[in-house]
Amino acid sequence: MLFNSFDFIIFFPIVVLVYFLIPPKLQRIWILIASYYFYMSWNPKYIVLILFTTVVTFIGGIGIDILDKDSRRRQICLVCSISANLLMLFFFKYIDMMIGYFNKVLGLFHIGIIEKNFCYALPVGISFFTFQGIGYVIDVYRGDTKAEKSFLSYALFISFFPQLVAGPIERSKNLLRQVNETHRFVYDRVKNGLLLMLWGFFLKLVVADRIAVFVDAVYENPFGNNGFFIVIATVLFGFQIYCDFYGYSTIARGGGKVLGVELMDNFKAPYMSLSVTEFWRRWHISLTGWFRDYLYIPLGGNRKGKLRQYSNLMIVFLASGLWHGASLSFVIWGALNGIYQVIGNISKSVRYRIMKRFQSDEIKWEHRFLCRLCTFCLVDITWLFFRAGSIQNAVAICEQMFGVCNPWIFFSGALYEIGLSRQEFWLMLIAIVIVLWVDSLHYRDIHVLAVLEKRGLLFRTLAVSGLIFAVVMLGVYGESQDVGTFIYFTF
Amino acid sequence: MWGHLSILHFKTFTKRNLKRFAGIIALVLVLMVEESILEYLLVDDDGTFERMMMHDFYKNTENIDNLYLGSSHVFCDLNPAVLDEINGKNNFNLSTSAQPLIASYYLLIEADKNNDLDCVYLDLWNGLLMEDNGIWKEPGELLTSWQVLDQMKFSANKLKWLLDSTDYRYVYLSAFPSIRYKNRLLDFDYLAEQLRNKMKSDYRCYNDYENYVHKGYSYTDHTADELYCTTTVRKVEKPRKLSSTAKEYLIKIIDYCDKNNIKLRLCANPVSDWAVCQTGDYDEYVMQMRELAAQYGLEYYDFNLCKKEYLDIEDNTFWSDNNHLNRCGAELYSNVFGTFFEKLEKGEIQSSDYFYDSYQEKLDNMEERVFGVVVEEIEDERRTEYFASLSMESTEGCRLFNLSTIDNLKSDGIETYVYRVESGTKEMSVLQDWDENSRYILPPSAESGKLYIKVRNVRTKEEYGEVDIEYSKD
């Protein structure tokens, strides 16, 4: 069930209504049932995978908690819990890729290839809930959190439906505590939750799915739409993936808020970042934080010299690339991001000297603008590999991008012949400007919701009705369009 | 002191809740205004029959005695003014284009709310009732219902129809016309044109459908061609069953009329013999309807089975197309229809006096005729087989057509003469001289133009007429 499907529009109000009508004791059971139903609407069989992660990490957590701190069995318990989840993830997500590469190697030696005799679809959200479960057992092992004794609460922590299939990857300290609480109807909280969801729908339906029409058309036919078409599509894809994922996260946060659960903010105006390092502190915060806490720091972080810090950075970003998908293009995407950070770190003093020479400083808007532009360009280049899906595609797209120079497309109207009409194209640009404006406020820790709250009734009413109008009337959905799935559902 | 505090608390609580309530009401009001403006701009109902008819229906102050429900066959074929004169009652056509029985049911309830209905005449056109005609719950099929729903005043009945007629996934499309047509929002030329049209006095005064007369009657003076011709074979060979949805709502209508003491007449208005024959075994349909009517103590009156001495509309001058009568035909038919039921009411006649037992019986009693020509392009394996049987050097680019007729010829066969005229030229190329052969080949040189087909009786050489169809390589 997609957030932008009609089924969810029916499902969610029913869940909320029943949630606040039933006795508080039953709230957790109700949300658990709703969460499992939500997940099973894709493929009922895959509920087994969630149950597997839940049971393994729940037992693992209790085992770690009751065993002696210095006991070796405690470590075994941790390793078993993590390995079981990673094996499941490997089997469902990476086995195709591994068999493919293995066969290539065997082919070099003229040895018979391995045939895969089973076929299945990638379970939705598998990377998210396995990482959430793994994070929990590590937290228990470190003593950062107590093992959860209630299976019901723990099952809900793993499967809480607003964030089940595309995050944010929640931490036990934040979500587990909240699922154990009872929640009564609080008007302002529910209202704010619904407004957040509305903003999420705007990001997804009005911005991301409209951009997708153009980007898909270009990337599906790079030979016909080459040169600047690909440049524009690649720039736009940067905004598409942001609004798509940010949209999902915002709907998830809003949905959680309505139910009384505060989920973490997964994005904090990433395209306002002044460097790639800052970008990664603001983009997919829950995953970046996960890798920082459970991989980068245990590897030594930046405590064991520069060389080790750089290799740790590369490991983390390669792992992050692999987490996104079983394809070499994702690995390259991760590697590029890692390289950016390493180079950024190494060149810090040089950049500082250049800045001094040109008498620039970080306060000046020109400097900040240039930094933002550079950061966006660097990040956007990596999105090309992300969107291309494979190395061959990425190479072909690069060839077509740099092989043809056709700047006249900006004036000839050719841009409006690729999926979006002139009006649609300009609407898309205006929507992007709105998103960037909201982000610029967010960057300065000004929240639009809070600003809205301070204004008069008329202003608030017009603003909210305007947003509803935009989502309902300008959103890309309905009969003539396929319901666009969220990009991060495939990870 | 505590009392004072609690009153204060109560006051604060009430004030806060009132503010919230005011906020919600303000939002709903703004959204309603938004929806109205968008509906005005996006829904293209300028010059539609349904808008005129529903307006006429709601402004009607006189009690409606006889209500006519059904598809376009009703509003094209029956003139309530003629019926008023015959039966001395107030007759009203609440029929709409391709009206499914679910729409008939809810329109019946709508009419019964403010009128003391005496009799309901329900048109049962087989084209809408058979099992392979969809379930009428998908957007493409709902268009005809939306045309009426959009013009209906808001009521519980409208809401029930809306929910009942639409699959749950599309309820929002039925409920909010603006969302249905949201893709038009960025088409500024369309919006400007809508605005221009809707500002005109004709639109505002409900005078924008020139052929609309009064009380749900619309006429046309167009006369149909002599022979009908089609490029796709639409003749249904196997007998079809009444769809479960149609049956469900037919029974609902019967029950409703029964409970509310409204007389119900199940009838079928006439279509051309070409159209009747196209539907395959029409008698199978008639039998199903008669059986169903009999189960509920009713009779089924099918005017396609009407004897020529009562209703003679075989001539093309009575038709606007193969399904609808023109004004001349409607005048004649309304008289026959009204007189028949008037006499039946008074017990002066039996229905068997007017109708044949079966359509086949009618065909047998008719003068021998060719009703129409079906031209089908053959693209399957029959094409290969046919070309293999010919010793042609090359068949590349050739198109093969099969020609058949819909007729009631008893023993004599027909022969055809086929020629073409290429676009931009006046030159005639004969594809087939008078022959009984039913297959002919369009050569690769034929880019686009018109095919002319003459049909005549093999024995008597009497020509039945000539039809033309366009051809194009695309």
Side-chain angles (χ1 to χ4, degrees):
Chain A
M1 192 187 304
L2 293 165
F3 280 169
N4 53 334
S5 67
F6 196 71
D7 292 341
F8 184 76
I9 302 295
I10 294 175
F11 167 83
F12 188 70
I14 293 173
V15 170
V16 173
L17 202 68
V18 174
Y19 183 71
F20 289 119
L21 288 177
I22 56 176
K25 272 192 284 184
L26 300 175
Q27 280 182 341
R28 278 182 303 167
I29 297 173
W30 171 243
I31 294 295
L32 185 65
I33 293 169
S35 297
Y36 283 167
Y37 174 80
F38 180 81
Y39 193 78
M40 285 165 76
S41 64
W42 272 290
N43 189 338
K45 286 179 205 158
Y46 286 166
I47 195 68
V48 176
L49 304 180
I50 291 190
L51 287 171
F52 176 79
T53 295
T54 309
V55 170
V56 166
T57 49
F58 177 72
I59 294 170
I62 287 178
I64 292 164
D65 201 37
I66 57 170
L67 288 167
D68 189 44
K69 276 215 164 166
D70 302 321
S71 154
R72 191 167 166 74
R73 281 192 294 171
R74 197 163 173 267
Q75 279 180 356
I76 293 169
C77 211
L78 174 73
V79 171
C80 286
S81 298
I82 295 173
S83 309
N85 277 287
L86 288 181
L87 269 173
M88 182 180 78
L89 186 60
F90 176 82
F91 182 78
F92 282 97
K93 195 164 177 174
Y94 303 104
I95 198 142
D96 278 342
M97 182 181 79
M98 292 314 289
I99 289 175
Y101 288 132
F102 206 64
N103 281 335
K104 275 185 186 166
V105 175
L106 291 177
L108 293 175
F109 299 101
H110 306 290
I111 304 170
I113 58 161
I114 300 169
E115 276 184 30
K116 195 180 127 209
N117 296 322
F118 46 89
C119 189
Y120 49 79
L122 177 70
V124 178
I126 189 166
S127 308
F128 290 91
F129 63 77
T130 48
F131 268 43
Q132 193 156 309
I134 291 170
Y136 163 78
V137 284
I138 298 174
D139 282 347
V140 175
Y141 181 79
R142 287 174 177 172
D144 291 342
T145 193
K146 283 255 170 209
E148 178 57 50
K149 300 290 187 297
S150 158
F151 183 75
L152 179 66
S153 298
Y154 185 72
L156 190 52
F157 162 70
I158 292 290
S159 63
F160 185 55
F161 77 85
Q163 50 88 238
L164 173 61
V165 288
I169 304 167
E170 273 294 341
R171 300 302 180 80
S172 51
K173 272 182 277 185
N174 181 38
L175 186 57
L176 205 45
R177 174 184 54 81
Q178 294 187 73
V179 297
N180 273 316
E181 293 166 355
T182 54
H183 304 279
R184 60 188 188 86
F185 182 87
V186 178
Y187 175 84
D188 287 329
R189 194 196 62 225
V190 171
K191 182 189 76 185
N192 288 339
L194 291 174
L195 286 177
L196 262 182
M197 290 178 84
L198 196 59
W199 176 240
F201 281 118
F202 175 85
L203 292 168
K204 169 67 180 163
L205 300 177
V206 182
V207 195
D209 285 353
R210 181 159 279 107
I211 298 174
V213 176
F214 185 89
V215 173
D216 290 350
V218 173
Y219 269 75
E220 275 161 25
N221 180 19
F223 298 98
N225 306 313
N226 45 21
F228 276 102
F229 282 118
I230 301 178
V231 175
I232 296 165
T234 307
V235 170
L236 287 175
F237 181 69
F239 289 105
Q240 185 200 338
I241 192 165
Y242 172 52
C243 293
D244 192 277
F245 195 18
Y246 183 31
Y248 180 90
S249 297
T250 309
I251 298 169
R253 276 183 64 216
K257 204 184 248 301
V258 170
L259 297 167
V261 175
E262 291 288 342
L263 297 174
M264 66 187 294
D265 203 350
N266 222 2
F267 294 88
K268 278 186 185 155
Y271 287 144
M272 294 290 140
S273 306
L274 300 171
S275 66
V276 177
T277 309
E278 189 187 356
F279 174 84
W280 278 105
R281 280 202 298 268
R282 295 174 174 276
W283 177 276
H284 202 173
I285 297 166
S286 64
L287 181 72
T288 315
W290 196 98
F291 276 117
R292 182 193 62 225
D293 293 347
Y294 304 122
L295 188 62
Y296 182 69
I297 292 173
L299 285 172
N302 55 4
R303 303 184 307 272
K304 297 190 174 175
K306 285 285 176 195
L307 198 64
R308 185 70 180 272
Q309 183 195 348
Y310 299 151
S311 62
N312 289 345
L313 268 174
M314 288 306 295
I315 290 170
V316 164
F317 276 96
L318 286 171
S320 173
L322 209 55
W323 178 89
H324 279 87
S327 160
L328 204 57
S329 58
F330 287 114
V331 178
I332 290 180
W333 169 79
L336 272 175
N337 276 293
I339 291 166
Y340 286 161
Q341 302 224 33
V342 172
I343 294 174
N345 231 309
I346 295 169
S347 64
K348 216 174 199 171
S349 55
V350 180
R351 282 187 289 136
Y352 183 71
R353 276 205 294 273
I354 294 171
M355 219 167 79
K356 248 188 150 182
R357 183 163 188 157
F358 287 96
Q359 293 176 328
S360 178
D361 69 62
E362 284 186 4
I363 302 164
K364 284 188 176 171
W365 75 267
E366 308 95 286
H367 176 88
R368 295 168 78 83
F369 177 76
L370 214 63
C371 287
R372 280 183 181 135
L373 195 66
C374 286
T375 306
F376 179 81
C377 290
L378 288 171
V379 170
D380 201 56
I381 290 166
T382 67
W383 290 135
L384 191 147
F385 291 90
F386 205 93
R387 178 62 182 79
S390 72
I391 294 296
Q392 291 93 325
N393 282 355
V395 171
I397 285 164
C398 284
E399 277 173 8
Q400 291 303 314
M401 180 158 57
F402 297 114
V404 180
C405 184
N406 50 359
W408 51 85
I409 63 161
F410 290 100
F411 316 103
S412 66
L415 278 177
Y416 314 127
E417 286 162 13
I418 307 182
L420 295 177
S421 65
R422 183 185 293 269
Q423 290 92 327
E424 290 262 349
F425 196 88
W426 279 96
L427 175 70
M428 172 188 73
L429 295 182
I430 292 167
I432 291 172
V433 170
I434 292 171
V435 173
L436 288 176
W437 173 70
V438 172
D439 271 9
S440 70
L441 294 176
H442 196 184
Y443 189 76
R444 287 178 279 155
D445 275 333
I446 302 168
H447 293 271
V448 177
L449 264 182
V451 174
L452 205 61
E453 204 65 46
K454 287 177 191 155
R455 306 302 291 260
L457 176 69
L458 184 68
F459 184 87
R460 285 205 313 266
T461 308
L462 290 177
V464 174
S465 64
L467 194 56
I468 293 173
F469 165 81
V471 170
V472 173
M473 295 304 295
L474 303 174
V476 178
Y477 69 94
E479 267 300 283
S480 52
Q481 286 103 6
D482 289 336
V483 176
T485 186
F486 288 88
I487 295 173
Y488 266 70
F489 273 21
T490 48
F491 302 144
Chain B
M1 187 190 167
W2 286 112
H4 178 67
L5 269 180
S6 59
I7 287 166
L8 256 180
H9 180 72
F10 176 75
K11 276 184 179 170
T12 323
F13 175 77
T14 314
K15 203 177 164 188
R16 200 172 57 219
N17 279 341
L18 272 175
K19 265 186 164 180
R20 286 170 179 169
F21 188 66
I24 293 168
I25 294 292
L27 182 64
V28 171
L29 284 175
V30 171
L31 290 175
M32 279 168 71
V33 172
E34 259 180 29
E35 170 62 21
S36 308
I37 295 169
L38 289 169
E39 243 182 81
Y40 184 76
L41 286 173
L42 300 177
V43 178
D44 181 13
D45 60 357
D46 176 38
T48 60
F49 167 78
E50 282 75 11
R51 181 170 173 272
M52 295 285 286
M53 188 269 289
M54 290 306 284
H55 173 74
D56 203 4
F57 169 68
Y58 282 122
K59 76 162 196 196
N60 171 64
T61 47
E62 205 184 327
N63 182 63
I64 296 171
D65 303 307
N66 291 347
L67 184 74
Y68 298 81
L69 295 166
S71 61
S72 54
H73 300 111
V74 181
F75 69 72
C76 288
D77 297 0
L78 287 172
N79 183 349
V82 175
L83 297 166
D84 286 355
E85 274 182 31
I86 295 170
N87 56 31
K89 290 177 178 173
N90 185 22
N91 298 271
F92 200 102
N93 280 353
L94 205 52
S95 58
T96 53
S97 302
Q99 185 180 96
L101 283 178
I102 184 170
S104 305
Y105 174 67
Y106 285 102
L107 284 170
L108 164 63
I109 297 171
E110 190 73 6
D112 194 37
K113 274 197 298 193
N114 301 315
N115 295 285
D116 183 15
L117 295 177
D118 181 29
C119 186
V120 169
Y121 294 85
L122 181 66
D123 173 50
L124 297 167
W125 176 45
N126 69 333
L128 280 172
L129 308 178
M130 305 322 256
E131 60 189 353
D132 47 1
N133 276 315
I135 53 165
W136 302 97
K137 292 208 166 196
E138 301 282 328
E141 298 163 335
L142 282 166
L143 282 171
T144 52
S145 290
W146 286 339
Q147 281 179 334
V148 193
L149 270 168
D150 291 352
Q151 305 300 334
M152 259 174 102
K153 284 182 182 170
F154 188 78
S155 67
N157 182 45
K158 178 179 176 172
L159 203 64
K160 269 192 207 166
W161 178 7
L162 195 147
L163 294 172
D164 204 8
S165 63
T166 318
D167 186 282
Y168 81 99
R169 288 168 296 167
Y170 309 116
V171 165
Y172 70 99
L173 294 177
S174 290
F176 303 104
S178 63
I179 302 178
R180 200 188 306 153
Y181 304 115
K182 74 184 174 75
N183 291 345
R184 296 172 178 172
L185 190 63
L186 295 175
D187 185 348
F188 301 136
D189 293 338
Y190 171 84
L191 297 182
E193 198 193 333
Q194 280 298 302
L195 213 55
R196 261 197 309 274
N197 290 341
K198 290 186 176 180
M199 298 294 267
K200 285 181 188 163
S201 63
D202 274 355
Y203 179 83
R204 285 185 279 123
C205 303
Y206 291 89
N207 204 18
D208 50 323
Y209 190 81
E210 58 179 302
N211 290 346
Y212 185 84
V213 184
H214 185 37
K215 297 206 283 190
Y217 171 60
S218 161
Y219 72 88
T220 170
D221 283 327
H222 174 254
T223 302
D225 292 338
E226 203 170 338
L227 267 176
Y228 302 108
C229 174
T230 177
T231 46
T232 50
V233 174
R234 288 172 55 203
K235 184 166 178 175
V236 181
E237 299 299 339
K238 59 175 186 193
R240 301 184 299 172
K241 292 242 173 326
L242 199 66
S243 81
S244 56
T245 322
K247 199 169 176 179
E248 180 192 340
Y249 281 92
L250 180 55
I251 292 168
K252 278 188 176 182
I253 291 171
I254 294 170
D255 286 346
Y256 184 88
C257 288
D258 192 36
K259 274 181 199 152
N260 293 281
N261 289 321
I262 302 168
K263 238 179 279 166
L264 178 65
R265 306 282 201 197
L266 304 178
C267 37
N269 291 306
V271 291
S272 70
D273 290 303
W274 155 264
V276 176
C277 291
Q278 260 187 323
T279 56
D281 189 354
Y282 191 70
D283 284 330
E284 171 81 20
Y285 171 74
V286 173
M287 200 179 69
Q288 284 180 59
M289 294 316 303
R290 279 179 178 160
E291 277 175 10
L292 191 79
Q295 271 179 36
Y296 294 90
L298 297 168
E299 207 174 339
Y300 169 67
Y301 310 98
D302 194 324
F303 283 85
N304 288 304
L305 272 57
C306 194
K307 291 174 182 170
K308 195 176 176 179
E309 56 261 42
Y310 297 108
L311 181 65
D312 185 3
I313 45 173
E314 276 178 24
D315 197 85
N316 64 303
T317 52
F318 293 110
W319 298 90
S320 65
D321 58 42
N322 56 15
N323 271 302
H324 306 96
L325 293 169
N326 57 22
R327 177 152 51 172
C328 178
E331 294 290 314
L332 176 74
Y333 174 60
S334 301
N335 259 306
V336 174
F337 185 92
T339 311
F340 167 74
F341 282 110
E342 200 52 23
K343 284 183 175 174
L344 193 71
E345 191 80 6
K346 289 176 183 162
E348 292 172 8
I349 53 160
Q350 300 264 316
S351 66
S352 54
D353 298 340
Y354 263 63
F355 301 109
Y356 288 109
D357 269 351
S358 66
Y359 186 70
Q360 189 56 51
E361 195 185 336
K362 184 187 173 184
L363 286 180
D364 293 342
N365 283 289
M366 268 169 82
E367 185 188 329
E368 289 190 22
R369 284 177 64 193
V370 173
F371 303 130
V373 178
V374 176
V375 182
E376 174 205 14
E377 181 166 6
I378 301 174
E379 288 171 303
D380 53 20
E381 68 275 3
R382 287 178 297 160
R383 183 181 191 276
T384 325
E385 280 168 23
Y386 184 76
F387 281 131
S389 70
L390 304 172
S391 50
M392 283 175 70
E393 277 184 17
S394 168
T395 57
E396 201 183 324
C398 289
R399 294 168 70 185
L400 180 64
F401 289 89
N402 187 61
L403 198 145
S404 56
T405 54
I406 290 181
D407 54 54
N408 69 336
L409 303 181
K410 290 181 184 81
S411 51
D412 299 335
I414 56 123
E415 54 184 10
T416 51
Y417 180 87
V418 186
Y419 66 97
R420 72 180 175 93
V421 177
E422 190 77 5
S423 294
T425 66
K426 287 182 178 174
E427 201 182 321
M428 277 172 50
S429 316
V430 178
L431 297 178
Q432 175 177 289
D433 205 348
W434 287 112
D435 199 279
E436 285 183 77
N437 172 38
S438 64
R439 290 190 176 171
Y440 60 92
I441 299 163
L442 198 61
S445 56
E447 292 285 337
S448 67
K450 262 188 180 177
L451 273 176
Y452 294 85
I453 302 153
K454 288 181 185 179
V455 185
R456 76 177 182 193
N457 190 301
V458 172
R459 189 175 53 83
T460 63
K461 306 294 180 196
E462 181 201 350
E463 280 191 31
Y464 295 113
E466 182 181 272
V467 292
D468 58 76
I469 59 160
E470 288 183 353
Y471 66 83
S472 158
K473 268 199 167 161
D474 306 325

